[in-house]
Coordinates of all heavy atoms in Angstrom, one line a residue:
M122 N -72.0 -53.8 -3.6 CA -72.5 -55.0 -4.2 C -71.5 -56.1 -4.2 O -71.8 -57.2 -4.2 CB -73.1 -54.7 -5.6 CG -73.9 -55.8 -6.1 SD -75.1 -55.5 -7.3 CE -74.6 -54.0 -8.2
E123 N -70.2 -55.7 -4.2 CA -69.1 -56.7 -4.2 C -69.2 -57.6 -3.0 O -68.8 -58.7 -3.0 CB -67.8 -56.0 -4.4 CG -67.4 -55.7 -5.8 CD -67.4 -56.9 -6.7 OE1 -66.7 -57.9 -6.3 OE2 -67.9 -56.8 -7.8
H124 N -69.5 -57.0 -1.8 CA -69.6 -57.7 -0.6 C -70.7 -58.8 -0.6 O -70.5 -59.9 -0.1 CB -69.8 -56.8 0.6 CG -71.1 -56.2 0.7 ND1 -71.4 -55.1 -0.1 CD2 -72.2 -56.4 1.5 CE1 -72.7 -54.7 0.2 NE2 -73.1 -55.5 1.1
I125 N -71.8 -58.5 -1.3 CA -72.8 -59.5 -1.5 C -72.3 -60.7 -2.4 O -72.5 -61.8 -2.1 CB -74.1 -58.9 -2.1 CG1 -74.7 -57.9 -1.1 CG2 -75.1 -59.9 -2.5 CD1 -75.8 -57.1 -1.6
K126 N -71.7 -60.3 -3.5 CA -71.2 -61.3 -4.4 C -70.1 -62.2 -3.7 O -70.2 -63.4 -3.8 CB -70.5 -60.6 -5.6 CG -70.0 -61.7 -6.6 CD -69.3 -61.0 -7.8 CE -68.7 -62.0 -8.7 NZ -68.0 -61.5 -9.8
S127 N -69.3 -61.6 -2.9 CA -68.2 -62.4 -2.2 C -68.9 -63.3 -1.2 O -68.4 -64.4 -0.9 CB -67.1 -61.5 -1.7 OG -67.6 -60.7 -0.7
A128 N -69.9 -62.8 -0.5 CA -70.6 -63.6 0.5 C -71.3 -64.8 -0.1 O -71.2 -66.0 0.4 CB -71.6 -62.8 1.3
I129 N -71.9 -64.6 -1.3 CA -72.6 -65.7 -2.0 C -71.6 -66.7 -2.5 O -71.8 -67.9 -2.5 CB -73.5 -65.2 -3.1 CG1 -74.7 -64.4 -2.5 CG2 -74.0 -66.3 -4.0 CD1 -75.6 -63.7 -3.4
E130 N -70.4 -66.2 -3.0 CA -69.4 -67.0 -3.5 C -68.8 -67.9 -2.4 O -68.6 -69.1 -2.6 CB -68.2 -66.2 -4.1 CG -68.2 -66.2 -5.6 CD -67.0 -65.4 -6.1 OE1 -66.7 -64.3 -5.5 OE2 -66.4 -65.9 -7.0
R131 N -68.7 -67.3 -1.2 CA -68.2 -68.1 0.0 C -69.2 -69.2 0.3 O -68.7 -70.3 0.6 CB -67.9 -67.1 1.1 CG -67.3 -67.8 2.3 CD -66.9 -66.8 3.5 NE -68.1 -66.0 3.9 CZ -68.2 -64.7 3.6 NH1 -67.3 -64.0 3.0 NH2 -69.3 -64.0 4.1
L132 N -70.4 -68.9 0.3 CA -71.5 -69.9 0.6 C -71.4 -71.0 -0.4 O -71.5 -72.2 -0.1 CB -72.9 -69.3 0.6 CG -73.3 -68.6 1.8 CD1 -74.7 -67.9 1.6 CD2 -73.4 -69.5 3.0
Y133 N -71.2 -70.6 -1.7 CA -71.2 -71.6 -2.8 C -70.0 -72.6 -2.6 O -70.1 -73.8 -2.9 CB -71.1 -70.8 -4.1 CG -70.9 -71.7 -5.3 CD1 -71.9 -72.6 -5.7 CD2 -69.8 -71.6 -6.1 CE1 -71.7 -73.4 -6.8 CE2 -69.6 -72.3 -7.3 CZ -70.6 -73.2 -7.6 OH -70.4 -74.0 -8.8
K134 N -68.9 -72.0 -2.2 CA -67.7 -72.9 -2.0 C -67.7 -73.7 -0.7 O -67.2 -74.8 -0.7 CB -66.4 -72.0 -2.0 CG -66.2 -71.4 -3.4 CD -65.0 -70.5 -3.4 CE -64.8 -69.9 -4.8 NZ -63.7 -69.0 -4.8
T135 N -68.3 -73.2 0.3 CA -68.3 -73.9 1.6 C -69.5 -74.8 1.8 O -69.3 -76.0 2.1 CB -68.1 -72.9 2.8 OG1 -69.2 -72.0 2.8 CG2 -66.8 -72.2 2.7
D136 N -70.7 -74.2 1.7 CA -71.9 -75.0 1.9 C -73.0 -74.4 1.1 O -73.7 -73.4 1.5 CB -72.3 -75.0 3.4 CG -73.5 -75.9 3.7 OD1 -73.9 -76.7 2.8 OD2 -74.1 -75.7 4.7
P137 N -73.2 -74.9 -0.1 CA -74.2 -74.3 -1.1 C -75.6 -74.5 -0.7 O -76.5 -73.9 -1.4 CB -73.8 -74.9 -2.4 CG -73.2 -76.2 -2.0 CD -72.5 -76.0 -0.7
N138 N -75.9 -75.2 0.3 CA -77.3 -75.4 0.7 C -77.8 -74.3 1.6 O -77.2 -74.0 2.6 CB -77.5 -76.7 1.5 CG -77.1 -77.9 0.6 OD1 -77.6 -78.0 -0.5 ND2 -76.2 -78.8 1.1
I139 N -78.8 -73.6 1.1 CA -79.3 -72.3 1.7 C -80.8 -72.4 1.9 O -81.5 -73.3 1.4 CB -78.9 -71.1 0.9 CG1 -79.5 -71.2 -0.5 CG2 -77.4 -70.9 0.8 CD1 -79.4 -70.0 -1.4
H140 N -81.3 -71.4 2.5 CA -82.8 -71.1 2.6 C -83.0 -69.8 2.0 O -82.4 -68.8 2.4 CB -83.3 -71.1 4.1 CG -83.3 -72.5 4.7 ND1 -82.1 -73.1 5.2 CD2 -84.2 -73.4 4.8 CE1 -82.4 -74.3 5.6 NE2 -83.7 -74.5 5.4
I141 N -83.9 -69.7 1.0 CA -84.1 -68.5 0.2 C -85.6 -68.0 0.3 O -86.5 -68.9 0.3 CB -83.6 -68.7 -1.2 CG1 -83.5 -67.4 -1.9 CG2 -84.5 -69.7 -2.0 CD1 -82.6 -67.5 -3.2
S142 N -85.8 -66.7 0.3 CA -87.1 -66.1 0.1 C -87.0 -65.1 -1.0 O -86.0 -64.3 -1.1 CB -87.5 -65.4 1.4 OG -87.6 -66.3 2.4
V143 N -87.9 -65.2 -1.9 CA -87.9 -64.3 -3.1 C -89.3 -63.7 -3.3 O -90.3 -64.4 -3.2 CB -87.6 -65.1 -4.4 CG1 -87.6 -64.3 -5.6 CG2 -86.3 -65.9 -4.2
K144 N -89.3 -62.4 -3.6 CA -90.5 -61.7 -4.0 C -90.2 -60.8 -5.2 O -89.7 -59.7 -5.1 CB -91.0 -60.9 -2.9 CG -91.6 -61.7 -1.8 CD -92.2 -60.9 -0.7 CE -92.7 -61.8 0.4 NZ -93.1 -61.1 1.6
L145 N -90.4 -61.3 -6.4 CA -90.2 -60.6 -7.6 C -91.5 -60.5 -8.4 O -92.3 -61.4 -8.4 CB -89.2 -61.3 -8.5 CG -87.7 -61.3 -8.0 CD1 -86.9 -62.2 -8.9 CD2 -87.2 -59.9 -8.0
T146 N -91.6 -59.4 -9.2 CA -92.9 -59.2 -10.0 C -92.7 -59.6 -11.4 O -93.6 -60.0 -12.1 CB -93.4 -57.8 -9.9 OG1 -92.3 -56.9 -10.2 CG2 -93.8 -57.5 -8.5
H147 N -91.5 -59.4 -12.0 CA -91.2 -59.7 -13.4 C -89.9 -60.5 -13.5 O -88.8 -59.9 -13.4 CB -91.1 -58.4 -14.2 CG -92.3 -57.6 -14.3 ND1 -93.4 -58.1 -15.0 CD2 -92.7 -56.5 -13.7 CE1 -94.4 -57.2 -14.9 NE2 -93.9 -56.2 -14.1
P148 N -89.9 -61.8 -13.7 CA -91.1 -62.7 -13.7 C -91.6 -62.9 -12.3 O -90.9 -62.7 -11.3 CB -90.5 -64.0 -14.2 CG -89.1 -64.0 -13.8 CD -88.7 -62.5 -13.8
R149 N -92.9 -63.2 -12.2 CA -93.5 -63.4 -10.9 C -93.0 -64.6 -10.2 O -93.3 -65.7 -10.6 CB -95.0 -63.5 -11.1 CG -95.7 -63.6 -9.7 CD -97.1 -63.0 -9.8 NE -97.9 -63.3 -8.6 CZ -97.7 -62.9 -7.4 NH1 -96.6 -62.2 -7.1 NH2 -98.5 -63.2 -6.4
I150 N -92.2 -64.4 -9.2 CA -91.7 -65.5 -8.4 C -91.9 -65.1 -6.9 O -91.5 -64.1 -6.5 CB -90.2 -65.7 -8.6 CG1 -89.9 -66.0 -10.1 CG2 -89.6 -66.8 -7.7 CD1 -88.4 -66.0 -10.4
V151 N -92.6 -66.0 -6.2 CA -92.8 -65.8 -4.7 C -92.3 -67.1 -4.1 O -92.9 -68.1 -4.3 CB -94.2 -65.4 -4.4 CG1 -94.4 -65.3 -2.9 CG2 -94.6 -64.2 -5.1
I152 N -91.3 -67.0 -3.3 CA -90.7 -68.2 -2.6 C -90.6 -67.7 -1.1 O -90.0 -66.7 -0.9 CB -89.4 -68.6 -3.2 CG1 -89.5 -69.0 -4.6 CG2 -88.8 -69.8 -2.4 CD1 -88.2 -69.2 -5.3
E153 N -91.0 -68.5 -0.2 CA -90.9 -68.2 1.2 C -90.1 -69.2 2.0 O -90.5 -70.4 2.2 CB -92.3 -68.1 1.9 CG -93.1 -67.0 1.4 CD -92.6 -65.6 1.9 OE1 -92.0 -65.6 3.0 OE2 -92.8 -64.6 1.1
N154 N -88.9 -68.9 2.3 CA -88.0 -69.7 3.2 C -87.9 -71.1 2.7 O -88.2 -72.0 3.5 CB -88.4 -69.6 4.6 CG -87.3 -70.0 5.5 OD1 -86.1 -70.0 5.2 ND2 -87.6 -70.5 6.7
I155 N -87.6 -71.4 1.5 CA -87.5 -72.7 0.9 C -86.0 -73.1 0.9 O -85.2 -72.4 0.5 CB -88.1 -72.7 -0.6 CG1 -89.5 -72.2 -0.5 CG2 -87.9 -74.0 -1.3 CD1 -90.5 -73.2 0.1
P156 N -85.8 -74.4 1.2 CA -84.4 -74.9 1.0 C -84.0 -74.9 -0.4 O -84.8 -75.3 -1.3 CB -84.5 -76.4 1.6 CG -85.7 -76.4 2.4 CD -86.7 -75.4 1.8
A157 N -82.8 -74.5 -0.7 CA -82.3 -74.4 -2.1 C -80.8 -74.7 -2.1 O -80.2 -74.8 -1.0 CB -82.7 -73.1 -2.7
R158 N -80.2 -74.7 -3.3 CA -78.8 -74.9 -3.4 C -78.3 -74.0 -4.4 O -78.8 -73.8 -5.5 CB -78.6 -76.4 -3.8 CG -77.1 -76.8 -3.8 CD -77.0 -78.3 -4.0 NE -77.6 -78.8 -5.2 CZ -76.9 -78.9 -6.4 NH1 -75.6 -78.7 -6.4 NH2 -77.5 -79.4 -7.5
I159 N -77.2 -73.3 -4.1 CA -76.5 -72.4 -5.0 C -75.8 -73.3 -6.0 O -74.9 -74.2 -5.6 CB -75.5 -71.5 -4.4 CG1 -76.2 -70.6 -3.3 CG2 -74.8 -70.6 -5.4 CD1 -75.3 -69.8 -2.4
V160 N -76.1 -73.2 -7.3 CA -75.4 -74.1 -8.3 C -74.5 -73.3 -9.3 O -73.8 -73.9 -10.0 CB -76.5 -74.8 -9.2 CG1 -77.2 -75.8 -8.3 CG2 -77.5 -73.9 -9.8
G161 N -74.5 -72.0 -9.2 CA -73.6 -71.2 -10.0 C -73.4 -69.8 -9.5 O -74.4 -69.2 -9.1
V162 N -72.2 -69.3 -9.6 CA -71.9 -67.9 -9.2 C -71.1 -67.4 -10.4 O -70.0 -67.9 -10.7 CB -71.1 -67.9 -7.9 CG1 -70.7 -66.4 -7.6 CG2 -71.9 -68.4 -6.8
Y163 N -71.6 -66.3 -11.0 CA -71.0 -65.7 -12.1 C -70.8 -64.2 -11.9 O -71.1 -63.7 -10.9 CB -71.9 -65.9 -13.4 CG -72.2 -67.4 -13.6 CD1 -73.4 -67.9 -13.2 CD2 -71.2 -68.3 -14.1 CE1 -73.7 -69.3 -13.3 CE2 -71.5 -69.6 -14.3 CZ -72.7 -70.1 -13.9 OH -73.0 -71.5 -14.0
K164 N -70.2 -63.5 -12.9 CA -69.9 -62.1 -12.8 C -71.1 -61.3 -12.3 O -70.9 -60.5 -11.4 CB -69.3 -61.6 -14.1 CG -68.9 -60.2 -14.1 CD -68.3 -59.7 -15.4 CE -68.0 -58.3 -15.3 NZ -67.5 -57.8 -16.6
N165 N -72.2 -61.4 -13.0 CA -73.4 -60.5 -12.7 C -74.6 -61.2 -12.1 O -75.5 -60.6 -11.7 CB -73.8 -59.8 -14.0 CG -72.7 -58.9 -14.5 OD1 -72.1 -58.1 -13.7 ND2 -72.5 -58.9 -15.8
I166 N -74.5 -62.6 -12.1 CA -75.7 -63.3 -11.6 C -75.3 -64.5 -10.8 O -74.1 -64.9 -10.8 CB -76.5 -63.9 -12.8 CG1 -75.7 -64.8 -13.7 CG2 -77.2 -62.7 -13.6 CD1 -76.4 -65.5 -14.8
F167 N -76.2 -65.1 -10.1 CA -76.0 -66.4 -9.4 C -77.3 -67.2 -9.7 O -78.4 -66.7 -9.9 CB -75.7 -66.2 -7.9 CG -76.8 -65.7 -7.1 CD1 -77.6 -66.5 -6.3 CD2 -77.0 -64.3 -7.0 CE1 -78.6 -66.0 -5.5 CE2 -78.0 -63.8 -6.2 CZ -78.8 -64.6 -5.5
Q168 N -77.1 -68.5 -9.6 CA -78.2 -69.5 -9.9 C -78.4 -70.3 -8.6 O -77.5 -70.8 -8.0 CB -77.9 -70.4 -11.0 CG -77.9 -69.7 -12.4 CD -77.6 -70.6 -13.5 OE1 -76.8 -71.5 -13.4 NE2 -78.3 -70.4 -14.6
I169 N -79.7 -70.6 -8.4 CA -80.1 -71.5 -7.3 C -81.0 -72.6 -7.9 O -81.6 -72.4 -9.0 CB -80.8 -70.8 -6.1 CG1 -82.2 -70.1 -6.6 CG2 -80.0 -69.7 -5.5 CD1 -83.4 -70.8 -6.0
E170 N -81.0 -73.7 -7.2 CA -81.9 -74.8 -7.7 C -82.7 -75.2 -6.4 O -82.2 -75.4 -5.4 CB -81.0 -75.9 -8.1 CG -81.6 -77.0 -8.9 CD -80.6 -77.9 -9.5 OE1 -80.0 -78.7 -8.8 OE2 -80.4 -77.8 -10.7
K171 N -84.0 -75.4 -6.6 CA -84.9 -75.8 -5.6 C -85.7 -77.0 -6.1 O -86.0 -77.1 -7.3 CB -85.7 -74.7 -5.0 CG -86.8 -74.2 -6.0 CD -87.6 -73.1 -5.3 CE -88.8 -72.7 -6.2 NZ -89.8 -73.7 -6.5
S172 N -86.2 -77.8 -5.2 CA -87.1 -78.9 -5.5 C -88.5 -78.6 -5.1 O -88.7 -78.2 -4.0 CB -86.6 -80.2 -4.9 OG -87.5 -81.2 -5.1
D173 N -89.4 -78.7 -6.0 CA -90.8 -78.6 -5.6 C -91.5 -79.9 -5.9 O -92.3 -80.0 -6.8 CB -91.5 -77.4 -6.4 CG -91.5 -77.5 -7.9 OD1 -90.9 -78.5 -8.4 OD2 -92.1 -76.7 -8.5
G174 N -91.2 -80.8 -5.0 CA -91.8 -82.1 -5.2 C -91.0 -83.0 -6.1 O -89.9 -83.5 -5.7
E175 N -91.5 -83.2 -7.3 CA -90.8 -84.2 -8.2 C -89.8 -83.5 -9.1 O -89.0 -84.1 -9.8 CB -91.8 -84.9 -9.0 CG -92.8 -85.7 -8.2 CD -93.9 -86.3 -9.0 OE1 -93.9 -86.2 -10.2 OE2 -94.8 -87.0 -8.4
H176 N -89.9 -82.1 -9.2 CA -89.1 -81.4 -10.2 C -88.1 -80.5 -9.6 O -88.3 -79.9 -8.5 CB -90.0 -80.6 -11.1 CG -91.1 -81.4 -11.8 ND1 -90.9 -82.3 -12.7 CD2 -92.5 -81.4 -11.5 CE1 -92.0 -82.8 -13.1 NE2 -93.0 -82.3 -12.4
L177 N -87.0 -80.3 -10.3 CA -86.0 -79.3 -9.8 C -86.2 -78.1 -10.6 O -86.4 -78.1 -11.9 CB -84.6 -79.8 -10.1 CG -84.0 -80.9 -9.2 CD1 -82.6 -81.4 -9.6 CD2 -84.0 -80.4 -7.8
C178 N -86.3 -76.9 -10.0 CA -86.4 -75.7 -10.6 C -85.2 -74.8 -10.4 O -84.7 -74.7 -9.3 CB -87.6 -74.9 -10.0 SG -89.2 -75.7 -10.2
R179 N -84.7 -74.3 -11.5 CA -83.5 -73.4 -11.4 C -83.9 -72.0 -11.7 O -84.6 -71.7 -12.6 CB -82.5 -73.9 -12.5 CG -81.1 -73.2 -12.3 CD -80.1 -73.8 -13.2 NE -79.6 -75.0 -12.6 CZ -78.5 -75.6 -13.0 NH1 -77.7 -75.1 -13.9 NH2 -78.1 -76.7 -12.4
H180 N -83.4 -71.1 -10.8 CA -83.7 -69.7 -11.0 C -82.4 -68.9 -11.0 O -81.4 -69.3 -10.3 CB -84.5 -69.2 -9.8 CG -85.9 -69.8 -9.7 ND1 -87.0 -69.5 -10.5 CD2 -86.4 -70.7 -8.8 CE1 -88.0 -70.2 -10.2 NE2 -87.7 -71.0 -9.2
T181 N -82.4 -67.8 -11.8 CA -81.2 -67.0 -11.9 C -81.6 -65.6 -11.3 O -82.6 -65.0 -11.6 CB -80.8 -66.8 -13.4 OG1 -80.5 -68.1 -13.9 CG2 -79.6 -66.0 -13.5
F182 N -80.7 -65.1 -10.5 CA -80.9 -63.8 -9.9 C -79.7 -62.9 -10.0 O -78.6 -63.4 -10.1 CB -81.2 -63.9 -8.4 CG -82.4 -64.8 -8.1 CD1 -82.3 -66.0 -7.5 CD2 -83.7 -64.3 -8.4 CE1 -83.4 -66.8 -7.3 CE2 -84.8 -65.1 -8.1 CZ -84.6 -66.4 -7.6
Q183 N -79.9 -61.6 -10.0 CA -78.8 -60.7 -10.0 C -78.4 -60.3 -8.5 O -79.3 -60.4 -7.6 CB -79.2 -59.4 -10.7 CG -79.5 -59.6 -12.2 CD -79.9 -58.4 -12.9 OE1 -80.1 -57.3 -12.2 NE2 -80.2 -58.4 -14.1
Y184 N -77.2 -59.9 -8.3 CA -76.8 -59.5 -7.0 C -77.6 -58.3 -6.4 O -77.8 -58.2 -5.2 CB -75.3 -59.3 -6.9 CG -74.5 -60.5 -7.3 CD1 -73.8 -60.5 -8.6 CD2 -74.4 -61.6 -6.5 CE1 -73.1 -61.7 -9.0 CE2 -73.7 -62.7 -6.9 CZ -73.1 -62.8 -8.1 OH -72.4 -63.9 -8.5
C185 N -78.0 -57.5 -7.3 CA -78.8 -56.3 -6.9 C -80.1 -56.7 -6.3 O -80.7 -56.0 -5.5 CB -78.9 -55.3 -8.0 SG -79.9 -55.8 -9.4
D186 N -80.6 -57.9 -6.7 CA -81.9 -58.4 -6.1 C -81.7 -58.6 -4.6 O -82.6 -58.4 -3.8 CB -82.3 -59.7 -6.8 CG -82.8 -59.5 -8.2 OD1 -83.2 -58.4 -8.6 OD2 -82.6 -60.5 -9.0
V187 N -80.5 -59.1 -4.2 CA -80.2 -59.3 -2.8 C -80.1 -57.9 -2.1 O -80.6 -57.7 -1.0 CB -79.0 -60.1 -2.6 CG1 -78.6 -60.3 -1.1 CG2 -79.1 -61.5 -3.2
L188 N -79.4 -57.0 -2.8 CA -79.2 -55.7 -2.3 C -80.5 -54.9 -2.0 O -80.7 -54.2 -1.0 CB -78.3 -54.9 -3.2 CG -77.8 -53.5 -2.8 CD1 -77.0 -53.6 -1.5 CD2 -77.1 -52.8 -3.9
T189 N -81.5 -55.0 -3.0 CA -82.7 -54.3 -2.8 C -83.7 -55.1 -2.0 O -84.8 -54.5 -1.7 CB -83.4 -54.1 -4.2 OG1 -83.6 -55.4 -4.8 CG2 -82.5 -53.2 -5.1
G190 N -83.4 -56.3 -1.5 CA -84.3 -57.0 -0.6 C -85.3 -57.9 -1.3 O -86.2 -58.5 -0.7
H191 N -85.3 -58.0 -2.6 CA -86.2 -58.9 -3.4 C -85.8 -60.3 -3.2 O -86.7 -61.2 -3.3 CB -86.2 -58.5 -4.9 CG -86.9 -57.2 -5.1 ND1 -86.2 -56.1 -5.6 CD2 -88.1 -56.7 -4.9 CE1 -87.0 -55.1 -5.8 NE2 -88.2 -55.4 -5.3
V192 N -84.6 -60.6 -2.9 CA -84.1 -61.9 -2.6 C -83.4 -61.9 -1.2 O -82.6 -61.0 -1.0 CB -83.1 -62.4 -3.7 CG1 -82.5 -63.8 -3.3 CG2 -83.8 -62.5 -5.1
A193 N -83.8 -62.8 -0.4 CA -83.2 -62.9 1.0 C -82.7 -64.3 1.2 O -83.4 -65.3 1.0 CB -84.2 -62.5 2.0
I194 N -81.4 -64.4 1.5 CA -80.8 -65.7 1.8 C -80.6 -65.7 3.3 O -79.8 -64.9 3.8 CB -79.4 -65.8 1.0 CG1 -79.7 -65.8 -0.5 CG2 -78.7 -67.1 1.4 CD1 -78.5 -65.8 -1.3
A195 N -81.2 -66.6 4.0 CA -81.2 -66.7 5.4 C -79.8 -66.8 6.0 O -79.4 -66.2 7.0 CB -82.0 -67.8 5.9
E196 N -78.9 -67.5 5.3 CA -77.5 -67.7 5.8 C -76.7 -66.5 5.7 O -75.6 -66.4 6.3 CB -76.9 -68.9 5.0 CG -77.4 -70.2 5.4 CD -78.8 -70.6 4.9 OE1 -79.3 -69.8 4.0 OE2 -79.3 -71.6 5.3
L197 N -77.1 -65.5 5.0 CA -76.4 -64.2 4.9 C -76.8 -63.2 6.0 O -76.1 -62.2 6.3 CB -76.6 -63.5 3.5 CG -76.0 -64.2 2.3 CD1 -76.3 -63.4 1.1 CD2 -74.5 -64.4 2.5
S198 N -77.9 -63.5 6.7 CA -78.4 -62.6 7.7 C -77.7 -62.8 9.0 O -77.1 -63.8 9.3 CB -79.9 -62.9 8.0 OG -80.6 -62.6 6.8

């Protein structure tokens, strides 16, 4: 899981603009290849911000969400 955290940290520092896909059930979040921006990288979580028209939405994910495939960042593939 450390390799995922370090890869996300590297993206955050170099180019935080990413494309993300999310399929979570609790809370129910379904995002398909949407442009987003990494806005925070912390010990156990990272935050992204996406725009859905007029509003900015901020979501927080755990690194294990990437590991289990619930969150996919296109730039990590």
Side-chain angles (χ1 to χ4, degrees):
M122 192 155 27
E123 279 298 315
H124 68 285
I125 293 171
K126 180 181 177 186
S127 62
I129 292 173
E130 256 182 320
R131 186 174 53 251
L132 280 174
Y133 176 62
K134 290 178 182 175
T135 58
D136 184 14
N138 297 310
I139 59 169
H140 289 82
I141 193 164
S142 297
V143 179
K144 289 183 182 174
L145 291 175
T146 54
H147 295 289
R149 180 149 170 68
I150 301 173
V151 177
I152 300 170
E153 290 293 328
N154 197 26
I155 300 291
R158 187 169 60 94
I159 302 171
V160 293
V162 175
Y163 306 100
K164 181 179 177 182
N165 296 315
I166 60 170
F167 66 99
Q168 292 182 320
I169 61 111
E170 194 171 73
K171 68 177 185 68
S172 174
D173 61 355
E175 300 174 3
H176 305 291
L177 286 176
C178 297
R179 187 173 282 199
H180 298 283
T181 302
F182 301 109
Q183 297 178 357
Y184 300 108
C185 66
D186 292 332
V187 178
L188 185 65
T189 58
H191 292 115
V192 174
I194 299 174
E196 286 74 9
L197 292 181
S198 300

